[in-house]
Amino acid sequence: MKRKIATLSAILPALLALSVPPAISAENPSVTKSVSAEAERTGFMKVKRNIGCTFRANDPGFLTQGSKTVWATVQITGCTPKPPDKCRLTVHLANPVYDVDNDDTGWVNCKKRTLKAKHKCNDMVSKRQYLTVGTLAMVYRGVHNSHVFKSRQVTLFCA
């Protein structure tokens, strides 16, 4: 029994070390999120140390009260003074089961931008849940990083 306890006490710290995520080094790409209520919707992503962009996913909704079109928007809200070489931003208007509509910028220069996806409602009687899902990919001198982020789920009269 003492031998089993000794073995377990020797193995346990190693198992605990494996369960803790590794520390993010300055050279490794990483995603830093705010700890506010908007943690899922906003954040900052780095490609390398001090090089990256901030992003945001807006809740889907109607532009005007009488509109029959649901819009989903994602944004690059800013980049570091020395921006990444190229960025690719995609937006998906989705419900929990499938993708309703999407759009993609392709690989372009990194700067502030807004990308929109729209869906024309066929039925304004049924309620459905929608969310905005965005993807931001960046490249800086051959180093790649990407991140998928989403908005809150919103229930709208649209089918």
Side-chain angles (χ1 to χ4, degrees):
M1 182 69 162
K2 287 182 181 179
R3 188 177 298 179
K4 287 182 182 179
I5 292 174
T7 306
L8 184 59
S9 64
I11 295 174
L12 190 59
L15 291 175
L16 289 174
L18 289 174
S19 67
V20 175
I24 298 170
S25 74
E27 293 301 313
N28 286 342
S30 66
V31 174
T32 306
K33 290 186 176 181
S34 63
V35 291
S36 68
E38 297 184 349
E40 284 289 318
R41 299 181 287 169
T42 63
F44 178 77
M45 183 173 71
K46 295 187 280 187
V47 178
K48 280 203 165 229
R49 184 177 182 174
N50 299 325
I51 297 178
C53 295
T54 55
F55 55 84
R56 175 176 173 79
N58 299 311
D59 294 341
F62 299 100
L63 287 180
T64 61
Q65 189 172 2
S67 177
K68 289 188 171 188
T69 304
V70 176
W71 292 87
T73 58
V74 294
Q75 299 171 312
I76 296 177
T77 56
C79 293
T80 54
K82 184 169 188 168
D85 296 331
K86 296 286 181 185
C87 289
R88 185 173 192 161
L89 186 64
T90 63
V91 61
H92 297 267
L93 175 62
N95 76 16
V97 178
Y98 60 91
D99 189 21
V100 177
D101 196 13
N102 60 51
D103 199 4
D104 185 354
T105 61
W107 289 100
V108 294
N109 292 332
C110 295
K111 63 180 183 180
K112 285 185 178 182
R113 66 179 67 241
T114 300
L115 188 61
K116 301 174 185 176
K118 64 179 180 175
H119 169 66
K120 183 103 172 162
C121 301
N122 295 324
D123 175 13
M124 297 296 285
V125 178
S126 302
K127 278 187 178 181
R128 295 273 166 87
Q129 290 182 331
Y130 295 95
L131 68 141
T132 303
V133 180
T135 305
L136 176 59
M138 296 186 291
V139 177
Y140 180 73
R141 295 187 181 173
V143 177
H144 298 264
N145 194 9
S146 62
H147 182 63
V148 177
F149 52 100
K150 64 180 179 148
S151 71
R152 294 179 298 177
Q153 218 169 33
V154 179
T155 302
L156 302 171
F157 281 102
C158 180

